[in-house]
Structure formats: C-alpha cells, structure tokens
Amino acid sequence: MTSTPEAPGSDAYLASLAGIVHEVEAAERLVAAGQITQLRVLARAGQLAEAQTVGADRRVAAHDMALRCIAAEVGGVMRITDRAVQRRIDEARTIIEGYPASVVAWEQGRITRGHVLVIVDTGSVVPVEMRAEFEAAAIARCEKDTPNRVRPGLDILAQRMHPRSFTERHTEAAATRCVRLVPGRDGMSDLIATLPTVIAEGIHDRLTQQARAVIDTRGERSVSGEDAAAADTRAAVAATDTRSTDQVRADIFADLLLAGTPALDDTRDTTAGPLGAIRARVQVVVTATCLTGSDDGPADLVGRSAIDAKTARRLAGDQPAWERLFTDPVTGTVHEVDTYRVPHRMRRYLQARDQHCRFPGCRTAAIRCEVDHTVDHALGGETTTRNLGHLCQRHHSMKQFTAWRVRQLSGGVLEWTSPLGRTYREDAPTPAVAFTPADTTPAPF
C-alpha cells in the first residue's frame, strides 16, 4: 500500500507540517516582540503622566487628570476608548516595572505571554520585597509547563510567601463581593457575582441538583396520591420541556432571584422593605410598530445593547407614561420630544438627542451623565440646547482639568480637540429608531 504525498507520515506531509510549525514559531516571535514593545511604550506613557504631576496641586487629582488626558490621546490613535487605554497603561506598568525578569524571559522565548499573565496575576498577593524571589521560582516552573498547568502551583506558592494568613486576607477580600452586569449580543447579558468560593460553589451545586431533579421528572406519568388528570397534565408539560441542564439551571437561578423573598428584608406584606423599594432605571428606544406587534425588530437599551421586542413591550406596558420622539424621516435625527408627564423639556430633549456621553467612544447612557455647558456658564455660556451636551463624570472632569477642548457646532455636533491638536468629530447619534419615507410613486400598470 502506497501513501499519497499528503498522507500523514509521508515526507511531503511532514515537510508541510514542519513549514507550518516554523512559520507559526516565527509569527509568535514577531507577535511577542510587538506586544513587548507596546507594553514598554504604554508604561512610558504612564511614567510621563506621573512626571507631569510632580509637585502639582493634588486637590484636582492632577495625576489622574494627566493620565486620562494621555490615555485619551493614545486612544484616538488606537481607536479604542480612553478607559481601555488607561487600563492597558496600568497593566503595562505593573508588568514592565514590577516583573522585569518575566519580561526578559518572555523576550528570550523561554516563556510566553500567557505565562507572564499568570505570574503577574498570582504574584499580586506577594509583598513587593519578596516579589523577585517569587518571580524567579515562577519563571523556573513556567519554563517546564503550560500556563494553565502552572497556575495552581504558583497560586499556592504566592499564598505561602505572603506574611499574612490566608484567612485574614480572605475576610478582607470577602468585603469586596459584588454583582456585575456584562452586556452581550442578541439581547443577552452575563450576570456575574463575585463571591467567596465556598458560597459560589454551593450556589452552583444547588442549582445543578435542582436542574437535574427537574430533568429527572420528565417522562413520569403518575405520582402517588395524584389523580390521573393531574398526572397527565404534568406528563404533558414534561414531554414538551426539552431544555438542557444549563438552560434549566439558568431558569431556576432567575426564578430564585426574581421571585424569592430576601431573608433579611421581609417584603411579603404590602409595605415594601428597603430592597423591595429599589427600582431599576433604564432608557429604552422602541418603535411604534414594535410596540403594536407589527414587527419584532430589536429595541435599543441605550448605553448597553439591543434587547428583544417582547421585553421592550413588557417594559412599555408597565410604564404609566411614555416619551415620544419626533425624528427626521430620512436621517433619524431627533428634533423634538413630547411627553404626557410634566417634563423638564430641555433635559428630555437632550437625553433623546445625545443618548449617551458625547466624548468620542464613550457609551455611558445619558440618564447616567451630567448636562454640561459646552461654553462654561461662568464664562458667558448660555443655557440653550445649542450649548449643552451630556458628559459622564469622567469626561466632564477631563474637559475641566485637562487640555482637551470642545466646541459645539450646529445640529448638536461636538468637535473635540486633543492636546496634540488632533480633532475628533462627534455627531449627534442617530437613534436606533428611524423611519424612511414611504414610496408614493404610482406603481406601473
């Protein structure tokens, strides 16, 4: 039996594979070199911000303002938000300044970027004076195995090298527990709870057991003490339930959170307790045709992502009043806002026009922003829609305390100028809800 040129084990196959591996190896070296170069440049950006503020007035948080200014400048070139750049600068300084031996080992090809990130992550609990000792031991381990395999060992090593007990540090860490919402696509989001590991593991285990119990009931047609009609009904429901374990687990999780009564805040009576009294606030833009069910296009959850039509209708149905937007039928630009409530007309108009913070790249919803005078009121700026725009607290502060400047053109257009003289045009966002003119041309016979 003869092998084809590209059959596994043939000379041609081995030569092709060797070429691919060689090219991947070369590409990895190029990528690593580029990543290391970028880290060093970003670290220098952070060092520049620090050098600028030596002896500055700390009352205006000079260092933070300088760093925001530089991050915004770099973000304009990288085409990402200034917040993302600032995070990268902080990460770069941590790696370059805090773990120089790891960077050298990465540069020499002895370890990879994944190893460096594991070293930095696990080493964050090690006191600075012991970091070099930890880093040397960590690099030696990383040279022998993959990042995911060395992580557990490095984590234990770091914990043991810490002068304070793990129990004491865990007590402090537990105080930082929180819940976060991460918007996703297609009307879905991730709800992330940062909890003590035991609690998180217990929650997942209980949800898993409950989900399995639900799935195990499928196909059962009778239960002791249950009449035949009830048994048939339950069996029919079970037969149509085709959810996976993950889906059932997620549904139970939602049911417990949405329908359960807080143990420490009894809200079962007619007077809501502190937790029950809190209501969420969201800003949703939805078309009239979507509300009436004529179309199922997504609605816009401003500042987050698209949401499904069914959810939008449910939200609209629960509201005692709506706000109607009048838009240009071609461009979709908002011209006027109508409301059935007694409105703060100017503020409502600006929320409809701006939708979110008007600094380039920022998506903070307008309802969580400040209405800013483009030309400061103290300098003669008028309180008109031609001189107002929404800025989040972060970018409002940047406008006040850094060299970033903005002017407002007609139609709500903002023109930002960076300290280097680069200009960024920020048009009034086109609403997710827009209409096109109907075609009134008579149809040919």
Side-chain angles (χ1 to χ4, degrees), residues 42 45-46 48-49 52 63-90 359-360 394-395 398 402 404 418-419 424:
L42 291 177
L48 176 62
Q52 277 190 314
H63 174 261
D64 189 51
M65 288 299 118
L67 186 56
R68 291 185 190 185
C69 180
I70 291 173
E73 189 75 65
V74 174
V77 175
M78 296 179 70
R79 304 192 70 168
I80 59 177
T81 67
D82 57 294
R83 285 188 180 90
V85 173
Q86 191 167 334
R87 287 195 298 271
R88 291 194 184 187
I89 288 175
D90 291 340
F359 188 87
R394 174 188 180 87
H395 294 124
M398 281 184 58
T402 75
W404 277 84
S418 76
Y424 301 91

Side-chain angles (χ1 to χ4, degrees), residues 132-206:
E133 179 183 352
F134 168 79
E135 190 179 16
I139 292 172
R141 296 190 184 190
C142 287
E143 290 176 335
K144 300 175 183 178
D145 217 332
T146 58
N148 63 314
R149 287 186 174 180
V150 299
R151 176 181 285 276
L154 295 187
D155 189 35
I156 294 174
L157 175 64
Q159 298 294 350
R160 288 178 177 172
M161 293 181 70
H162 200 287
R164 297 173 60 205
S165 71
F166 181 82
T167 299
E168 182 181 359
R169 286 179 285 123
H170 170 72
T171 300
E172 293 181 0
T176 66
R177 59 191 180 277
C178 62
V179 176
R180 304 185 304 281
L181 181 67
V182 180
R185 294 183 178 180
D186 300 326
M188 303 295 285
S189 292
D190 293 324
L191 186 65
I192 302 174
T194 300
L195 299 167
T197 301
V198 174
I199 300 298
E201 185 71 19
I203 291 172
H204 189 269
D205 180 68
R206 185 184 180 206

